[in-house]
Amino acid sequence: DQQVKQNSPSLSVQEGRISILNCDYTNSMFDYFLWYKKYPAEGPTFLISISSIKDKNEDGRFTVFLNKSAKHLSLHIVPSQPGDSAVYFCAASGGYYSGYALNFGKGTSLLVTP
Amino acid sequence: DSGVTQTPKHLITATGQRVTLRCSPRSGDLSVYWYQQSLDQGLQFLIQYYNGEERAKGNILERFSAQQFPDLHSELNLSSLELGDSALYFCASSVGATGDTGELFFGEGSRLTVL
């Protein structure tokens, strides 16, 4: 049962344009959301997060938006750069009772072309 | 470099065999998490240990077991291996059981191939 869903397996964007990666979740108990980035032959690395009490968090070129009523979050990358090409995983934390273990989506492979 | 070390990086074995994957967390981290990434699948949470005790359990098969030792390193044991167990196994660590910001630090993974 996939509680975190990334319905777009891949996305291609031109350098300098905006990349928008989407994520949906089904469990209303999730209270913390994160995006991880993964390059080939490496482990995932933390990119940005957002608490359920917020609807937006920004860090440089990366902004995460959370719509709790729709159980939807998105990651915006502006402007996109070739070095952003990677697989992006959306993750959600169920809080204390789940030990803060993260539930991950299947990932979206982003390709930024020059 | 995340500071999380996993060994071996690659492992090839036969069906029915047993293997052990090892993980050393970042210095100071008390929680260790194990994840499985199969082909076309996301990262599936298997199990979490905090300071030697099992803290949370995910979709871990009965053929799999894990433990965390007093020095905080962890081992994931996979037995009676099947072809479908072929996957990338990630270990991650965090400072506490409560996860703070929820950020986990991942190792590079151990790629298991079952033939």
Side-chain angles (χ1 to χ4, degrees):
Chain A
D1 179 27
Q2 196 80 19
Q3 298 185 72
V4 178
K5 298 176 184 177
Q6 295 177 257
N7 294 319
S8 298
S10 63
L11 176 68
S12 183
V13 171
Q14 271 193 317
E15 181 178 6
R17 306 296 286 268
I18 184 171
S19 295
I20 300 176
L21 293 90
N22 294 303
C23 177
D24 298 293
Y25 62 96
T26 58
N27 190 338
S28 58
M29 297 299 290
F30 289 150
D31 61 359
Y32 209 88
F33 304 89
L34 306 91
W35 285 92
Y36 279 76
K37 177 172 158 180
K38 184 183 182 302
Y39 292 115
E42 295 182 12
T45 55
F46 171 76
L47 186 59
I48 193 170
S49 63
I50 187 167
S51 164
S52 59
I53 62 173
K54 296 186 176 181
D55 55 17
K56 177 182 174 182
N57 188 29
E58 194 170 351
D59 183 1
R61 297 185 297 113
F62 302 91
T63 302
V64 56
F65 296 91
L66 174 63
N67 182 333
K68 282 189 66 180
S69 61
K71 293 191 178 70
H72 176 84
L73 63 156
S74 60
L75 174 68
H76 292 209
I77 307 174
V78 184
S80 301
Q81 300 174 353
D84 296 329
S85 297
V87 177
Y88 289 78
F89 290 98
C90 172
S93 171
Y96 176 83
Y97 293 102
S98 73
Y100 287 82
L102 298 179
N103 296 269
F104 284 85
K106 293 185 179 183
T108 296
S109 179
L110 173 66
L111 177 65
V112 180
T113 57
Chain B
D1 182 7
S2 67
V4 178
T5 305
Q6 288 187 248
T7 57
K9 285 191 174 8
H10 300 275
L11 189 56
I12 301 174
T13 189
T15 54
Q17 295 298 305
R18 172 190 168 97
V19 298
T20 297
L21 308 181
R22 194 179 193 277
C23 170
S24 294
R26 286 190 324 156
S27 176
D29 284 359
L30 299 178
S31 269
V32 169
Y33 306 76
W34 285 98
Y35 284 85
Q36 178 193 55
Q37 185 183 21
S38 303
L39 193 64
D40 296 331
Q41 294 294 319
L43 292 154
Q44 299 291 319
F45 169 63
L46 296 178
I47 197 164
Q48 178 206 358
Y49 279 82
Y50 172 72
N51 204 20
E53 301 286 329
E54 182 182 304
R55 180 70 179 85
K57 214 166 187 175
N59 301 318
I60 188 166
L61 299 173
E62 285 190 10
R63 300 183 286 108
F64 296 0
S65 64
Q67 54 185 325
Q68 186 179 28
F69 294 87
D71 67 352
L72 300 176
H73 91 271
S74 177
E75 292 181 355
L76 178 67
N77 301 296
L78 314 174
S79 61
S80 302
L81 285 169
E82 302 174 359
L83 295 177
D85 297 328
S86 296
L88 198 51
Y89 291 84
F90 285 104
C91 170
S93 71
S94 66
V95 173
T98 55
D100 299 313
T101 59
E103 180 180 353
L104 303 184
F105 295 87
F106 282 83
E108 294 183 351
S110 292
R111 181 169 294 283
L112 172 66
T113 302
V114 182
L115 300 176

